[in-house]
Amino acid sequence: MQNLLYRWLLLVGLGHAALGIALAFAAHLPITQPYFAYLYASVAATPPPAEFQTLLRTMVGLFGPTVASWGLLFSVLVFLYREHGHRQIKPAIFAALLVWCLLDSAISLYFGLLWHAYLNTAAVLSIALPLLALRPLKACR
């Protein structure tokens, strides 16, 4: 069971890295149009001017590398915890999850982006529950 939890957490981290890289390149592609239409509809009754749409897509594209780097750092921390059992790692990851999930969800709910809050809840549970149950291979001395 521990190997499954470990592999799942690595998959989540590396998946974030891959999706963040994809987001950086896909933000201006037509495939993302439904997502941006959802964003626009949540904050305005009419679609914004083309210049604003381009700016928003660029900002979302710039967010991709942040997501990717978070995924890589998370994967390294999970690896280090599993291999060496540094006791500071789990609380640090939980603190990062708490900061991200609470702030992102609050902002999302404020602007009526319910799907973001739902996605955040699913994401935080898919990370926090396996991480809570994960044990290191050996305790750090």
Side-chain angles (χ1 to χ4, degrees), residues 58-78:
T58 301
M59 296 305 292
V60 169
L62 289 172
F63 182 62
T66 302
V67 172
S69 65
W70 180 91
L72 291 175
L73 289 171
F74 175 78
S75 297
V76 168
L77 286 174
V78 167

Side-chain angles (χ1 to χ4, degrees), residues 21-137:
I21 291 168
L23 182 60
F25 293 103
H28 289 277
L29 296 178
I31 193 168
T32 60
Q33 182 56 36
Y35 174 71
F36 285 101
Y38 168 69
L39 288 180
Y40 304 143
S42 71
V43 295
T46 60
E51 296 85 16
F52 179 79
Q53 291 182 26
T54 300
L55 175 64
L56 181 61
R57 286 176 176 264
T58 301
M59 296 305 292
V60 169
L62 289 172
F63 182 62
T66 302
V67 172
S69 65
W70 180 91
L72 291 175
L73 289 171
F74 175 78
S75 297
V76 168
L77 286 174
V78 167
F79 171 80
L80 290 174
Y81 178 75
R82 178 77 171 144
E83 292 295 317
H84 303 289
H86 297 292
R87 64 178 179 259
Q88 303 91 337
I89 292 175
K90 261 191 183 182
I93 294 174
F94 281 119
L97 286 172
L98 190 64
V99 167
W100 157 73
C101 191
L102 289 180
L103 288 175
D104 195 277
S105 295
I107 293 167
S108 296
L109 290 172
Y110 179 80
F111 286 103
L113 299 167
L114 296 178
W115 283 107
H116 279 193
Y118 296 148
L119 182 62
N120 288 348
T121 301
V124 79
L125 290 174
S126 75
I127 296 169
L129 294 177
L131 183 62
L132 190 62
L134 186 67
R135 293 187 311 269
L137 293 174

